[in-house]
Amino acid sequence: MGSRKSSTLDGVKVVIVEDDPSDAKRVFVCLTDAGCNVRIARNALEALAVTALFDPKLMVIDLVLPGHSGLVLAAHLRKEAATRTTILVATTSLNDEADRIAHEAGFVACLRKPIDLRALRELVQTHASRQRGGGRR
């Protein structure tokens, strides 16, 4: 883990919502290596439970999940005062239409699978640093 270039992500709380174990592990390793404090949820209901206890600054959410979709999860998160300002990043293997739908649902970005981990890390760093000092509790 000596490959960390910056400590600007140290302690940033992130929840990954991904039902594919290998995708979840890739994102988990990428973000923990960058210094983030990361939790994984496998579906929307699990994500709501984890989020209530963990209070993440950012969530990486697959749009296609078992049960409720990532879009349904995002709508719920936007309605709740405690998660209204949580930064949401979508991931998908769907077509370009997913980008537009994700942005309309309140996601700051939509990353295509397989996820470019360097782009993800830069995205998290950009958005986490914008909220430093005046963001979530």
Side-chain angles (χ1 to χ4, degrees):
M1 289 186 218
S3 64
R4 283 179 39 189
K5 295 179 182 175
S6 171
S7 63
T8 59
L9 294 179
D10 281 352
V12 172
K13 292 181 177 183
V14 178
V15 172
I16 300 164
V17 188
E18 174 60 65
D19 61 314
D20 182 291
S22 65
D23 285 345
K25 182 177 181 179
R26 287 182 70 237
V27 174
F28 179 86
V29 169
C30 169
L31 296 178
T32 55
D33 282 355
C36 295
N37 185 354
V38 182
R39 300 291 184 274
I40 297 174
R42 294 168 293 179
N43 58 57
L45 294 177
E46 197 174 298
L48 292 174
V50 169
T51 301
L53 297 173
F54 188 60
D55 190 32
K57 175 179 277 196
L58 186 138
M59 296 178 74
V60 179
I61 303 172
D62 185 6
L63 293 181
V64 180
L65 295 166
H68 301 290
S69 73
L71 295 171
V72 170
L73 173 59
H76 182 81
L77 294 168
R78 289 294 173 240
K79 289 178 186 173
E80 298 297 321
T83 54
R84 192 168 292 134
T85 62
T86 302
I87 302 162
L88 305 180
V89 176
T91 63
T92 188
S93 55
L94 301 175
N95 62 23
D96 292 337
E97 185 71 9
D99 293 339
R100 181 188 61 77
I101 293 168
H103 287 295
E104 288 174 358
F107 290 89
V108 298
C110 184
L111 301 176
R112 191 85 52 234
K113 292 182 180 184
I115 298 166
D116 177 339
L117 297 177
R118 184 177 186 170
L120 173 64
R121 187 179 300 185
E122 289 172 1
L123 184 67
V124 171
Q125 189 164 354
T126 297
H127 287 281
S129 65
R130 284 183 188 163
Q131 280 197 347
R132 284 258 190 236
R136 296 172 44 77
R137 41 184 171 123

